[in-house]
Amino acid sequence: MTGDPGLQPERTRLAWRRTALALTVVTVLAVRLALTGDVPGALLAAAVVLVWAGAVTACWRRAAGSGPIRVGSPALPSVALATAVLALLAVPLVLRGMW
């Protein structure tokens, strides 16, 4: 006998889509702050975009999945790591934007 998962898989997929959207918004804002014409800003923008691409790929794969959610998938730790890296990359951008 199998259990009825209810709406849990749909809620999980929607949560992954919201995560991808939030990461996209943060990336756009970080790139906007970084692109002021100097080389360090361009390097930070490139790093932010690379981290964003990896995280959104993981989010999109999880959000597009039609099967059951696998426990122990590396997607969650990799997206959490990418979020932390984006936060660390954003600190110098915000500090630079304040001056």
Side-chain angles (χ1 to χ4, degrees), residues 2-94:
T2 61
D4 180 20
L7 295 176
Q8 188 271 333
E10 182 180 359
R11 286 193 309 266
T12 301
R13 285 193 272 292
L14 289 173
W16 280 105
R17 287 182 181 143
R18 283 191 306 270
T19 301
L21 178 62
L23 288 172
T24 301
V25 169
V26 168
T27 300
V28 167
L29 292 175
V31 168
R32 182 173 170 240
L33 273 175
L35 294 179
T36 58
D38 58 345
V39 175
L43 292 176
L44 279 173
V48 166
V49 169
L50 286 175
V51 171
W52 167 81
V56 167
T57 301
C59 288
W60 193 257
R61 285 183 183 163
R62 290 295 298 241
S66 58
I69 302 300
R70 293 182 324 207
V71 176
S73 171
L76 183 59
S78 64
V79 171
L81 179 64
T83 303
V85 169
L86 281 175
L88 290 175
L89 289 173
V91 168
L93 294 176
V94 169

